[in-house]
Amino acid sequence: MKYIHFIINPISGNGKHNLSRTVLDKYFSEKEFKIAVDYSNHKHHAIKLTNNAVAKNPDYIVACGGDGTINEVASCLVNTKIKLGIIPIGSGNGLASNLKIPKLLEEATQVIRNGKTQFIDIGKVNEHYFFSNMGIGIDALIIKKYDNYKRRTLSAYIKASLEASLKFKPIKSILSFNNQIINSNAFMLFISNSNEMGYGMSLTPNASLVDGKLNLVLIPKISVINQIKLGLHVVSKKAEVFKMAQHSLIENIAIELPEKIFVDIQLDGEYHNLKTNKIEVSVIKNGLEIVS
Ligand SMILES: Nc1ncnc2c1ncn2[C@@H]1O[C@H](COP(=O)(O)OP(=O)(O)OP(=O)(O)O)[C@@H](O)[C@H]1O
């Protein structure tokens, strides 16, 4: 009998979902499955819940939420034999979309009942993991501002992007990757494992979760007109034709921000302030087994 532990974020996707133990009982019969269900009560609570669940050694732990919840749950599964499942009830759902995990509950639970798995790469930033993408620069400021909005919607994200672009000052950065050192006044430094950021938008439509590489997008200081052009390219998933962006495939990169003491980053769409100005990012090939 398969033992599945579900971690539900009640506020994912603005709390519009009705996912609960009662609903899950309908899809996972007692005859076939042993299930346990926990609900996160606050930011980072899913980490504690997942670590407690890992100690009970289930076959699968299922993150029920968006990319932020997936990050908290999946980070605890690295270096374990426990497989990650996803029920995408978030707002953006970038990773689930890349994995083609359906949003319809009946179909998403079917994927978990089938139990077919694959290994995907993961990204590491200093001691943190990311599964979809991370960013420094304007990207981190957008997420910081997006966090202040009560509702997590595409229009809130667009408003946060406009506010951030008015306020953001490019960051002096020294980047060491692929045997080169680049000094840049960076507007955006975006590193993605996945081909989607959420809401169907992408800066890296050709990225692969299984190629053993991360896709780096470096955009130097650009004019407001070019920022608007970039936004339109991201929404239409054509960012790779934006001429001012430098795209590279990397396995690791060292980033130093000489004029900063601490650095703001976004990790899978959540804001973090790292207490350092030196960042090491690397890929861990096949780092996570995931039901899809
Ligand atoms: N009960 C709770 N109250 C407030 N915040 C919570 C609660 N439980 C979890 N969180 C936090 O909610 C945040 C958002 O979660 P999540 O990413 O799943 O949803 P989303 O933002 O709607 O989806 P996406 O990231 O795909 O856009 C995470 O930072 C998580 O730590």
Side-chain angles (χ1 to χ4, degrees):
M1 182 181 282
K2 289 271 183 280
Y3 172 19
I4 311 180
H5 200 115
F6 294 86
I7 313 268
I8 300 176
N9 179 343
I11 66 108
S12 286
N14 295 308
K16 283 193 199 134
H17 67 84
N18 292 313
L19 194 60
S20 64
R21 165 98 215 196
T22 319
V23 172
L24 288 168
D25 278 337
K26 286 188 200 143
Y27 292 106
F28 295 90
S29 77
E30 256 181 75
K31 279 188 205 146
E32 275 182 274
F33 300 96
K34 174 184 165 191
I35 74 165
V37 180
D38 279 320
Y39 301 88
S40 56
N41 287 331
H42 52 82
K43 225 176 174 45
H44 306 315
H45 187 206
I47 297 171
K48 189 172 177 202
L49 294 173
T50 309
N51 282 329
N52 290 344
V54 166
K56 294 175 191 156
N57 202 24
D59 297 292
Y60 307 93
I61 297 186
V62 179
C64 308
D67 287 336
T69 303
I70 293 171
N71 184 290
E72 292 182 18
V73 173
S75 293
C76 307
L77 302 187
V78 180
N79 300 323
T80 75
K81 295 227 172 313
I82 302 169
K83 297 148 196 142
L84 176 78
I86 298 173
I87 298 188
I89 50 171
S91 311
N93 297 312
L95 186 64
S97 177
N98 188 155
L99 289 162
K100 298 199 165 50
I101 295 176
K103 280 196 194 145
L104 212 63
L105 185 58
E106 177 148 8
E107 293 175 11
T109 50
Q110 184 62 53
V111 171
I112 295 162
R113 286 194 298 274
N114 292 347
K116 201 177 125 227
T117 64
Q118 65 169 316
F119 282 89
I120 65 162
D121 303 330
I122 61 183
K124 193 167 185 211
V125 190
N126 293 359
E127 71 278 20
H128 303 276
Y129 295 110
F130 64 95
F131 303 87
S132 195
N133 62 63
M134 60 112 8
I136 303 171
I138 184 91
D139 198 27
L141 187 61
I142 291 171
I143 296 296
K144 194 174 179 181
K145 293 200 170 287
Y146 179 57
D147 258 4
N148 295 333
Y149 281 86
K150 282 210 177 80
R151 296 180 66 74
R152 294 182 152 231
T153 57
L154 180 56
S155 67
Y157 186 84
I158 292 170
K159 273 188 214 152
S161 304
L162 292 173
E163 276 177 34
S165 66
L166 290 174
K167 205 175 161 214
F168 183 72
K169 296 208 172 30
I171 304 174
K172 200 170 256 190
S173 317
I174 306 168
L175 315 171
S176 313
F177 66 98
N178 296 355
N179 299 319
Q180 58 182 331
I181 297 176
I182 293 183
N183 282 279
S184 176
N185 219 4
F187 173 73
M188 179 185 271
L189 239 167
F190 180 78
I191 300 177
S192 194
N193 190 30
S194 145
N195 69 6
E196 202 190 298
M197 299 160 82
Y199 298 114
M201 300 188 296
S202 184
L203 268 165
T204 56
N206 297 322
S208 161
L209 294 168
V210 295
D211 62 353
K213 308 266 189 213
L214 296 171
N215 291 53
L216 167 71
V217 182
L218 170 62
I219 303 178
K221 187 177 175 181
I222 50 173
S223 66
V224 175
I225 300 274
N226 277 321
Q227 289 179 31
I228 294 165
K229 278 190 194 161
L230 172 66
L232 294 173
H233 281 109
V234 170
V235 171
S236 59
K237 285 195 175 179
K238 289 192 179 127
E240 297 207 335
V241 299
F242 182 70
K243 295 272 180 305
M244 306 192 82
Q246 180 188 328
H247 294 261
S248 311
L249 277 178
I250 58 168
E251 286 178 17
N252 49 64
I253 180 170
I255 302 167
E256 188 179 345
L257 310 174
E259 292 179 352
K260 297 270 177 194
I261 302 170
F262 300 148
V263 52
D264 287 339
I265 67 167
Q266 69 82 9
L267 267 188
D268 289 339
E270 300 297 322
Y271 167 75
H272 295 256
N273 178 255
L274 301 186
K275 304 292 180 223
T276 175
N277 66 352
K278 291 194 175 88
I279 302 170
E280 301 271 344
V281 182
S282 56
V283 66
I284 303 176
K285 195 166 166 49
N286 295 332
L288 184 73
E289 190 172 4
I290 190 160
V291 187
S292 60

